[in-house]
Amino acid sequence: MNGRYNFKEAEAKWQRVWEERGSFVARDESQRPKYYVLEMFPYPSGRIHMGHVRNYTLGDVVARYKRARGFAVLHPMGWDAFGLPAENAAIQSGKHPREWTYKNIAEMRDQLKPMGLSFDWSREIATCDPDYYKHEQKMFLEFLARGLAYRRNAMVNWDPVENTVLANEQVIDGKGWRSGAPVERRELSQWFLRITDYAEELLEGLRELERWPDKVRIMQERWIGRSEGMRVSFDIEGRGTGDPLPAITVFTTRPDTLFGASFLAIAPNHPVAQELAARDPKAAAFIAEIGRSGTSEAAIETAEKVGYRTGLEVRHPLDESWTLPVYIANFVLMEYGSGALFGCPAHDQRDLDFARKYALPVTVVVQPKDQPPLDVADTAYTEDGILVNSRFLDGLDVAAAKKTVAEKLGALGKGEVTVSYRLRDWGVSRQRYWGCPIPIIHCRSCGPVPVPDDQLPVVLPEDVSFDKPGNPLDRHPTWKHVACPRCQGPAQRKTDTFDTFVESSWYFLRFCSPQAKDMFDRKAVAHWMPVDQYIGGVEHAVLHLLYSRFFTRALRDCGHLSVSEPFAGLFTQGMVCHETYRDPADGQWLFPSEVERDAQGRLVRRGGGASVEIGRSEKMSKSRKNVVDPALIIDTYGADAARLFTISDSPPERDFDWTEAGIEGAWRFLNRLWRMVFESPLPLDAPPPGPLSEKALALHRQAHQTVAAVTDNLEKFRFNSAIARIRELINAIGELTDPGDAWAYAESLRLAVQLIGPVMPHLAEELWTRLGNGSLLVEQPWPEADPALLVEDKVTVAVQVNGKLRATLDLPRDAAREVAEAAALAEPAVTRALEGRAVRKVVVVPNRIVNVVG
């Protein structure tokens, strides 16, 4: 590497100065407008990766820019520290999860600090700290008192490897999102939060989130899944109104297709199915087999549709003499709708597949208007049309048929119009140790009893063993055995802990006042919330972001908050990618550090010379080994070069390819800028001359235009465009060599250094000092562009001869008509086009066109 810039010395120096000056400590002040910028906090795995570098650089650029624009900025950092990886590490290494976690936190903090991130480290939190999760336990008990938390038996997603329950969102393609093991269905007593109480509000609130990506809002809208339809009752044949289960209710969005029904299907854990299983061994065996299959919607959709005919029949709600067979089916979930559906095979593909398998009738009841009778073979007709074979509905379109049948069912007392949501209540119980204990005590006499406030927090015991599968809290000899707070009789603590998404659903509130004795200081939260700019991966669009929106509303309704939305602005950054490399001899993946170019420019094994197979660029991952160690990059090129490259190569919302050539290019640019100041060919302290030369004036103008453009780009998250404009300015500055232009050279450099400051803060501070400034750049206001210099003093004018373009002219803006005409007539191309003809007239459109008529 060339250049004399000692980045190791400079970066360490300025980080020390910022820390000593408390440059990034957020203060609750009213003199300046507030700005809360937050990146999604990391899980302390022990090593930062290039995704962290990009994510936190983006947030840091925003924080530094907003601080320069006069905002009081809150930019905190913490750790999402509970979770199964710590338990898995305890099993593998013998280290206690607490020891493993805090060791990783210390290591990652030491890796992040050399990046020069403007975090307010005084607000650092870790969610595994009892001082944090005691407030979470208090929140849960408040939710319980308000009816927002409750317990019930439920079919759950059970991960047989991690021995814990997973939320629906944590099941990917029928497998646990961490273990990859096929997920099973089990019935357990679980604690739930009533997120469904807020379904409509959560849906409506999306409309107000104008600074969220459309794709995230759409994902949440689909997950909430509002459907307008009907609840329709099918009486069970042979049962009267006095029977405990006289009817089966279904939710449907297509009541117009009722006359096409050929069967009823119920979920394996539907009360009717459970009743049958108690006396029918074959039904019980079928339900048990389904329990060993995948539970996600994707797994159910792709699995073969199978059912068990129960022997029950239900009467059609519109015709008492018409009965339909009842099946227990693997594609019906109790958690969606009512746990039952009627099958209309001609107009639903899943129902058609099922009907063909079990030889059930297929009756067309909707067909295209003015078309021959529809014949459904292997593909269901799901488009709009006209009702047929539907008695009093025949001839109506679908919308009119829905209205008519709704009125009919309502009059018969067999149905009602309602709204259903795909969203289910949030099951928060997890069967693991390293999490926040659920503050409930189970007493045989009193039932579940909340832990009294004066006994919070319920702290995890340290003396646990991971030598057996399952939750070590269940095996602890003393921790779970306590006296009932109500009757003082023998009782047991709940050994489940909270889903870790509970911790991340309110951490942004704690950052507002991390030392508060209560969950947060209400005045501080009122000042800082909502988060003005939240930054993180789109993979959290449904889980974390939806839960956080719910939590904020629940705390609002408990009287703790006045805001409803936690994140006013959201930015989802792209992934960091890298080429993949394999050894063709054994097919093993290779780290980029194991590869080098030989004298012919070919990629070969480092030190061995064997050829390497180059694969496509993919998201950096340990499995593909296409990872680059940020610590090595920072040690080799410095933090500023790494920061510059991660945001300059592509728009931040897109995936970004890490290349060796790219980081070397960033290093060269950094050194060039350093030399322009420290080895300046012109004096940096020259006074402004009288009139500027043409070159100096052009540079002066370009510098102020760059200020305006970069400001606009930063406001709009066009960071790569901002860098491009700064590079153009640096190139223009380098073209000035005349000593008479020294003032313009230095003034433009000063503006360039200020503009690059949020991206390369260490180098910028170094250059700022060299340019003769006595104060820190981080304390300076953002530069303002001179409006007079934003207007171009020249315009390009089209020159036409008899209406055809023949030339262009650069003229002074608002040039006199005579000037424009003379310049046009002097153009050789105009003379050639006239071919000796006399000029009859010249039409001048100011600043646009000169048309010569000959």
Side-chain angles (χ1 to χ4, degrees):
M1 292 183 296
N2 298 319
R4 294 166 49 192
Y5 174 49
N6 187 336
F7 67 84
K8 292 186 177 181
E9 180 181 294
E11 291 180 355
K13 175 181 70 175
W14 292 114
Q15 288 165 22
R16 185 171 59 252
V17 170
W18 295 330
E19 184 174 1
E20 291 171 353
R21 297 280 289 266
S23 296
F24 309 126
V25 174
R27 296 174 176 82
D28 302 349
E29 55 181 282
S30 58
Q31 300 94 327
R32 294 187 293 164
K34 70 91 179 178
Y35 196 88
Y36 187 174
V37 57
L38 180 65
E39 304 92 355
M40 294 178 185
F41 65 168
Y43 181 79
S45 61
R47 300 294 299 178
I48 67 170
H49 52 70
M50 293 311 301
H52 290 133
V53 172
R54 193 182 196 204
N55 189 41
Y56 298 129
T57 296
L58 291 172
D60 196 52
V61 170
V62 174
R64 289 175 177 273
Y65 167 70
K66 288 295 183 179
R67 189 175 289 108
R69 290 302 300 267
F71 289 88
V73 173
L74 172 58
H75 187 207
M77 183 59 177
W79 312 95
D80 193 10
F82 273 138
L84 277 169
E87 291 193 40
N88 293 338
I91 294 169
Q92 296 167 7
S93 67
K95 291 183 179 178
H96 192 280
R98 177 178 295 277
E99 178 189 355
W100 184 84
T101 299
Y102 278 100
K103 176 178 177 291
N104 286 351
I105 287 174
E107 290 178 354
M108 290 183 70
R109 187 192 302 115
D110 288 345
Q111 294 163 39
L112 285 171
K113 283 195 170 184
M115 285 181 61
L117 302 166
S118 60
F119 290 135
D120 181 355
W121 285 102
S122 69
R123 294 176 183 253
E124 182 182 7
I125 59 175
T127 59
C128 64
D129 190 323
D131 281 342
Y132 179 86
Y133 67 71
K134 69 179 179 183
H135 304 297
E136 185 173 306
Q137 293 172 343
K138 181 67 167 26
M139 290 177 193
F140 174 79
L141 296 179
E142 286 196 42
F143 291 173
L144 181 62
R146 289 186 62 89
L148 292 175
Y150 67 97
R151 184 182 67 142
R152 66 173 169 86
N153 286 345
M155 295 297 290
V156 298
N157 306 309
W158 180 261
D159 189 314
V161 171
E162 295 187 331
N163 290 293
T164 188
V165 170
L166 302 178
N168 287 334
E169 300 91 334
Q170 294 168 313
V171 180
I172 310 299
D173 295 330
K175 298 178 181 179
W177 72 319
R178 289 193 188 276
S179 71
V183 172
E184 302 171 358
R185 298 182 189 179
R186 290 191 184 182
E187 186 173 44
L188 293 177
S189 176
Q190 298 284 290
W191 285 96
F192 288 83
L193 297 181
R194 293 188 192 276
I195 189 173
T196 54
D197 282 8
Y198 294 86
E200 190 65 29
E201 186 181 346
L202 289 167
L203 190 61
E204 287 294 318
L206 292 172
R207 298 179 182 178
E208 302 173 9
L209 299 176
E210 297 177 354
R211 293 200 295 116
W212 279 41
D214 288 342
K215 62 182 177 182
V216 174
R217 292 192 290 180
I218 291 170
M219 291 168 73
Q220 287 209 4
E221 182 179 325
R222 289 175 176 170
W223 190 258
I224 295 169
R226 187 182 193 275
S227 299
E228 294 184 1
M230 292 196 71
R231 295 179 70 85
V232 183
S233 181
F234 291 75
D235 294 331
I236 300 176
E237 181 73 12
R239 296 189 180 184
T241 55
D243 193 284
L245 297 170
I248 296 174
T249 299
V250 307
F251 172 80
T252 177
T253 60
R254 294 297 306 273
D256 56 299
T257 63
L258 271 167
F259 286 107
S262 64
F263 65 92
L264 208 73
I266 59 177
N269 54 328
H270 191 282
V272 171
Q274 294 297 303
E275 174 203 85
L276 291 171
R279 63 174 187 268
D280 182 348
K282 290 183 178 179
F286 178 79
I287 291 171
E289 179 63 28
I290 291 176
R292 289 187 284 273
S293 64
T295 62
S296 73
E297 285 183 86
I300 291 170
E301 283 297 317
T302 55
E304 181 186 9
K305 309 303 182 287
V306 294
Y308 174 78
R309 188 158 184 167
T310 64
L312 290 180
E313 303 265 330
V314 292
R315 294 190 293 275
H316 196 286
L318 295 171
D319 184 344
E320 289 283 321
S321 66
W322 181 1
T323 60
L324 304 171
V326 178
Y327 286 79
I328 302 170
N330 68 336
F331 57 86
V332 186
L333 295 176
M334 195 66 204
E335 292 77 15
Y336 296 99
S338 60
L341 57 83
F342 77 85
C344 180
H347 305 293
D348 183 284
Q349 190 62 45
R350 176 195 57 196
D351 295 350
L352 180 61
D353 295 341
F354 190 82
R356 296 301 188 202
K357 182 178 180 68
Y358 293 103
L360 296 168
V362 179
T363 303
V364 173
V365 292
V366 180
Q367 71 171 38
K369 187 177 181 180
D370 301 327
Q371 296 291 321
L374 193 66
D375 180 25
V376 172
D378 298 321
T379 304
Y381 179 72
T382 58
E383 303 301 319
D384 204 354
I386 301 299
L387 272 289
V388 295
N389 302 319
S390 297
R391 305 182 190 182
F392 62 90
L393 300 177
D394 284 353
L396 298 177
D397 61 29
V398 169
K402 285 183 178 181
K403 182 179 180 181
T404 302
V405 78
E407 293 171 350
K408 182 73 170 178
L409 288 169
L412 294 171
K414 296 295 184 181
E416 61 178 351
V417 176
T418 187
V419 173
S420 181
Y421 298 91
R422 180 179 179 275
L423 181 68
R424 299 295 92 194
D425 279 341
W426 178 11
V428 294
S429 300
R430 298 292 181 269
Q431 293 66 46
R432 60 172 173 241
Y433 165 76
W434 192 236
C436 171
I438 297 178
I440 295 292
I441 294 170
H442 288 276
C443 174
R444 290 184 179 179
S445 301
C446 306
V449 180
V451 173
D453 283 357
D454 61 2
Q455 294 180 25
L456 297 178
V458 177
V459 179
L460 290 168
E462 294 285 331
D463 54 335
V464 291
S465 171
F466 295 90
D467 56 352
K468 298 177 181 178
N471 185 354
L473 293 177
D474 286 330
R475 304 188 298 270
H476 196 280
T478 61
W479 181 81
K480 65 181 181 180
H481 300 289
V482 293
C484 172
R486 288 181 182 165
C487 69
Q488 304 307 310
Q492 288 191 1
R493 293 190 188 281
K494 181 71 174 175
T495 57
D496 287 356
T497 54
F498 284 127
D499 179 3
T500 55
F501 281 104
V502 175
E503 283 87 69
S504 60
S505 292
W506 71 280
Y507 79 106
F508 45 87
L509 298 168
R510 185 64 180 171
F511 275 140
C512 296
S513 51
Q515 281 79 43
K517 292 183 179 180
D518 295 326
M519 56 186 75
F520 40 73
D521 180 272
R522 296 191 187 188
K523 184 178 179 182
V525 166
H527 174 73
W528 289 112
M529 289 294 296
V531 176
D532 296 280
Q533 187 62 65
Y534 200 34
I535 302 171
V538 73
E539 66 270 19
H540 297 293
V542 171
L543 286 168
H544 162 58
L545 291 172
L546 188 62
Y547 291 158
S548 296
R549 296 181 65 221
F550 156 68
F551 235 80
T552 302
R553 285 166 166 80
L555 289 170
R556 175 202 64 193
D557 291 348
C558 289
H560 295 293
L561 296 173
S562 58
V563 298
S564 299
E565 291 292 349
F567 313 119
L570 172 69
F571 187 86
T572 53
Q573 86 280 0
M575 298 180 294
V576 180
C577 305
H578 197 290
E579 282 183 336
T580 50
Y581 307 119
R582 279 188 188 224
D583 187 325
D586 57 16
Q588 295 297 309
W589 298 105
L590 300 173
F591 288 106
S593 58
E594 298 178 275
V595 174
E596 65 180 356
R597 293 196 179 275
D598 63 12
Q600 288 74 42
R602 298 174 305 168
L603 281 177
V604 296
R605 290 290 297 265
R606 188 177 295 277
S611 63
V612 170
E613 182 182 301
I614 305 173
R616 66 181 183 183
S617 181
E618 299 181 27
K619 175 187 176 182
M620 287 188 180
S621 67
K622 293 179 181 178
S623 62
R624 292 285 197 271
K625 291 189 177 181
N626 62 333
V627 294
V628 175
D629 185 358
L632 178 61
I633 295 298
I634 292 173
D635 186 63
T636 305
Y637 298 100
D640 283 344
R643 291 167 59 115
L644 175 66
F645 181 42
T646 57
I647 68 169
S648 64
D649 197 54
S650 64
E653 69 274 12
R654 296 182 189 171
D655 292 350
F656 157 69
D657 282 314
W658 182 274
T659 64
E660 193 71 18
I663 185 62
E664 288 178 353
W667 167 249
R668 287 194 300 271
F669 172 76
L670 183 143
N671 274 275
R672 182 188 179 202
L673 185 54
W674 183 89
R675 287 192 298 271
M676 289 177 72
V677 175
F678 277 83
E679 300 176 1
S680 173
L682 301 176
L684 298 175
D685 55 356
L692 295 175
S693 70
E694 185 175 341
K695 276 191 173 183
L697 182 58
L699 178 63
H700 183 53
R701 184 181 301 278
Q702 182 177 349
H704 282 260
Q705 290 173 344
T706 303
V707 169
V710 170
T711 302
D712 183 63
N713 285 328
L714 293 183
E715 290 286 348
K716 296 175 180 176
F717 264 72
R718 297 172 182 164
F719 297 153
N720 60 313
S721 297
I723 299 300
R725 291 300 296 262
I726 296 171
R727 285 180 181 270
E728 289 175 4
L729 177 60
I730 297 299
N731 290 338
I733 295 171
E735 293 176 3
L736 282 196
T737 57
D738 192 312
D741 296 333
W743 178 86
Y745 180 96
E747 192 255 1
S748 299
L749 263 182
R750 178 182 63 80
L751 290 175
V753 167
Q754 286 185 277
L755 295 178
I756 205 68
V759 181
M760 301 193 299
H762 310 90
L763 175 66
E765 289 284 9
E766 193 80 359
L767 302 182
W768 185 252
T769 301
R770 176 65 173 176
L771 287 168
N773 300 288
S775 57
L776 293 180
L777 175 59
V778 78
E779 296 172 353
Q780 297 303 304
W782 190 250
E784 296 287 341
D786 184 344
L789 295 174
L790 302 183
V791 180
E792 291 285 354
D793 60 345
K794 290 187 177 182
V795 292
T796 300
V797 174
V799 180
Q800 298 175 340
V801 176
N802 296 327
K804 293 185 178 181
L805 181 67
R806 297 300 183 182
T808 59
L809 290 172
D810 287 333
L811 297 175
R813 179 175 290 278
D814 300 324
R817 182 185 185 285
E818 295 78 10
V819 173
E821 179 178 331
L825 293 175
E827 277 291 308
V830 172
T831 302
R832 288 195 299 271
L834 286 172
E835 296 178 337
R837 295 189 300 272
V839 176
R840 291 191 289 141
K841 66 176 178 177
V842 178
V843 179
V844 177
V845 180
N847 301 320
R848 294 182 59 192
I849 299 171
V850 178
N851 185 26
V852 179
V853 181

